[in-house]
């Protein structure tokens, strides 16, 4: 049974939450309820139908009906009776069958390599492949992406739910890459190109937003709001507020790399002086560390952390964010840089804002963007995020 066509209407919760919907019709309710069941099983794990009804707020009859449908489709499976001694017949547990589908997930943010993985529905990486970019841009870079997808598709051993791609640059709501200057892509519907080759649904999102989705979905943060700052070749941020990804009016939310943090600073490629990217992007930092030698290491990283704190303090204050996650090379970010960024934010914000601040390094490094790209597929196809 083809489940992709009707379920796709459920769309990502982040968009659905803001969409003004027309009159609810029964089929929409059904798709919504189905997503709710999958979402509950995805986050809370195996449980009985009665627990599922309680957790989801749906009636037992609705839950039973939809679970039967999902079992028939092979997405959910019976896991046998609950362990332990209880009075009466033990309840049968149900859970998501993690190998019901595989997802192909690509991260195009690296300046040297495009990375791809095959993951199951639990976000476990089953296979990996990569391709060297070697400075390729435009059509040549598109060909690399298509080739990487073909190689990944051969590694998948069950039906593929879809392909998720995290791309650098500005990506609009339809997944069109409006501009990714490093790859020479402007107005590129990469998803359409890949879909034409693979015959699968393809979802493209910004790489920093993908990192935020990866942290939010697979590394449960303490709340529903989260700022993920990616510090690699460039600097970007992904923002989740109240469980919804914030993309912004021009789809450029989180483009913090060219905020000016040092007005008398060096000239940046964007034409301004003293951009955040010059202070903390990995290549710039490494260059300064090489020039400065080991005696200046802590001071150089501390200065970089201060720049980051200056840029983030107003964002954290405006939104009263508790969870801030840095994603990038730990040898650069952990230690003086992180400490100095935290201190700078504390000094520049009211204690009501900074008391709850939990600023930390991401666990899982580069895989977060890949997992987040998989979430694009999960949320669009199954309503799970
Ligand atoms: Zn700049």
């Amino acid at each position: 049974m083809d489940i992709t066509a009707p379920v796709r209407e459920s769309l990502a919760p982040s968009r659905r939450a803001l969409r003004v919907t027309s009159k609810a019709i029964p089929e929409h309710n059904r798709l919504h309820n189905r997503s709710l069941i999958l979402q509950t099983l995805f986050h809370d794990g195996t449980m009985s139908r009665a627990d599922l009804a309680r957790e989801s707020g749906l009636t037992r009859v609705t839950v039973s009906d939809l679970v039967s449908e999902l079992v028939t489709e092979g997405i959910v499976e019976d896991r046998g009776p609950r362990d332990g001694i209880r009075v009466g017949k033990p309840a049968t547990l149900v859970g998501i069958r993690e190998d019901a589908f595989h997802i192909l997930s690509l991260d195009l943010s690296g300046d040297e390599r495009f990375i791809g993985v095959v993951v199951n529905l639990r976000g476990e990486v089953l296979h990996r492949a990569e391709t060297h970019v070697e400075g390729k841009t435009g059509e040549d870079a598109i060909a690399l992406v298509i080739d990487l997808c073909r190689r990944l598709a051969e590694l998948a051993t069950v039906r593929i739910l879809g392909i998720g791609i995290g791309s650098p640059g500005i990506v609009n709501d339809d997944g069109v890459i409006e501009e990714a200057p490093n790859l020479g892509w402007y107005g590129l519907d990469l998803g359409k190109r890949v879909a034409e080759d693979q015959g699968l649904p393809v979802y493209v999102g910004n790489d920093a937003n993908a990192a935020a989705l990866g942290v939010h979905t697979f590394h449960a943060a303490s709340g529903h709001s989260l700022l993920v700052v990616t510090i690699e070749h460039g600097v970007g941020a992904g923002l989740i507020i109240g469980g919804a990804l914030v993309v912004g009016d021009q789809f450029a939310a989180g483009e913090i790399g060219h905020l000016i943090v040092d007005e008398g600073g060096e000239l940046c490629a964007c034409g301004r002086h003293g951009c955040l990217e010059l202070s903390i992007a990995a290549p710039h930092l490494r260059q300064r560390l090489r020039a400065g030698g080991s005696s200046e290491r802590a001071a150089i990283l501390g200065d970089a952390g201060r720049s980051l704190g200056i840029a983030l303090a107003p964002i954290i204050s405006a939104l009263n964010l508790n969870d801030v996650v840095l994603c990038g090379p730990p040898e650069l970010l952990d230690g003086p840089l992180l400490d100095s960024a935290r201190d700078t934010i504390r000094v520049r914000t009211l204690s009501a804002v900074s008391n709850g601040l939990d600023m930390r390094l991401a666990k899982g490094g580069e895989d977060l963007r890949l997992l987040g790209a998989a979430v694009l597929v999960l949320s669009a196809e199954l309503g799970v995020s």
Side-chain angles (χ1 to χ4, degrees):
M1 181 174 174
D2 180 10
I3 64 144
T4 56
V7 176
R8 199 168 310 154
E9 275 192 42
S10 66
L11 282 174
S14 54
R15 291 174 197 167
R16 192 177 53 207
L18 297 172
R19 178 164 296 184
V20 179
T21 51
S22 53
K23 223 165 55 178
I25 58 172
E27 186 57 14
H28 285 171
N29 286 339
R30 189 173 177 81
L31 290 173
H32 174 80
N33 293 345
R34 197 182 138 103
S35 296
L36 199 55
I37 284 177
L38 288 172
Q39 178 86 343
T40 307
L41 289 174
F42 184 83
H43 286 289
D44 299 339
T46 298
M47 63 179 77
S48 69
R49 286 168 176 79
D51 290 341
L52 198 45
R54 200 164 32 249
E55 290 295 322
S56 65
L58 299 172
T59 66
R60 286 199 188 201
V61 173
T62 303
V63 167
S64 271
D65 187 25
L66 288 169
V67 166
S68 300
E69 179 181 299
L70 290 163
V71 168
T72 305
E73 289 170 23
I75 302 173
V76 167
E77 65 186 353
D78 275 317
R79 294 264 170 87
R82 191 197 300 275
D83 290 337
I85 301 158
R86 284 179 175 244
V87 179
K89 185 170 171 262
T92 304
L93 304 178
V94 291
I96 289 188
R97 201 161 67 86
E98 47 234 31
D99 284 310
F101 295 101
H102 287 165
I103 295 171
L104 311 186
S105 187
L106 281 76
D107 173 18
L108 312 183
S109 65
D111 54 329
E112 291 176 351
R113 298 173 302 157
F114 290 161
I115 304 169
V117 290
V118 179
V119 299
N120 65 15
L121 294 185
R122 193 144 292 290
E124 289 160 349
V125 174
L126 307 173
H127 303 284
R128 241 170 234 283
E130 61 178 54
T131 188
H132 286 274
V133 181
E134 291 168 341
K136 292 197 172 88
T137 59
E139 281 296 325
D140 292 341
I142 296 170
L144 289 180
V145 174
I146 288 175
D147 180 60
L148 185 55
C149 286
R150 287 179 187 165
R151 285 163 53 203
L152 290 168
E154 283 175 13
L155 294 169
T157 51
V158 298
R159 191 174 152 197
I160 299 167
L161 184 63
I163 301 176
I165 301 176
S167 167
I170 295 173
V171 182
N172 76 17
D173 223 6
D174 295 321
V176 174
I177 300 167
E178 297 202 335
E179 50 180 293
N182 292 342
L183 291 167
W185 289 344
Y186 298 91
L188 171 66
D189 193 345
L190 182 64
K192 188 169 167 229
R193 296 287 299 273
V194 174
E196 281 167 1
D197 187 70
Q198 287 291 317
L200 290 165
V202 184
Y203 302 92
V204 181
N206 167 270
D207 52 358
N209 288 345
L213 288 173
V215 174
H216 183 66
T217 303
F218 292 104
H219 295 260
S222 57
H224 294 291
S225 298
L226 172 74
L227 177 69
V228 174
V229 182
T230 58
I231 300 167
E232 302 281 356
H233 190 58
V235 175
L239 184 60
I240 288 175
I241 299 290
L245 185 67
V246 176
V247 293
D249 288 345
Q250 273 75 41
F251 314 107
E255 290 290 328
I256 62 170
H258 298 278
L259 285 173
I260 293 169
V261 290
D262 175 12
E263 286 184 0
E266 292 168 52
L267 179 65
C268 177
C270 74
R272 298 173 186 82
H273 284 266
C275 291
L276 178 63
E277 206 156 284
L278 294 175
S279 294
I280 62 164
H284 294 289
L285 259 184
R286 289 203 173 100
Q287 193 181 19
R288 282 208 297 287
L289 289 171
R290 272 196 301 273
S294 57
S295 61
E296 299 202 21
R297 183 176 174 83
I300 290 167
L301 292 173
D303 281 349
R306 186 168 182 278
S307 296
L308 179 63
I310 290 170
L312 294 186
I315 300 168
I316 290 167
S317 276
L319 299 167
N320 187 195
L321 287 168
N322 279 355
D323 275 326
V324 179
V325 177
L326 305 186
C327 187
E331 74 277 12
L332 295 178
L333 303 182
D334 207 3
L337 192 152
L338 181 60
D339 294 342
S340 161
R342 262 195 217 118
D343 292 345
T344 305
I345 292 165
R346 290 231 163 83
V347 168
R348 288 177 168 245
T349 55
L350 283 176
S351 55
V353 171
S354 58
N355 277 349
L357 182 68
D358 177 13
M359 188 172 185
R360 60 194 186 278
L361 282 200
K363 292 187 201 112
E366 64 182 18
D367 277 359
L368 284 173
R369 278 188 293 272
L370 290 160
L371 291 179
V375 173
L376 294 175
V377 179
L378 275 174
S379 74
E381 295 293 328
L382 299 181
V384 170
S385 64

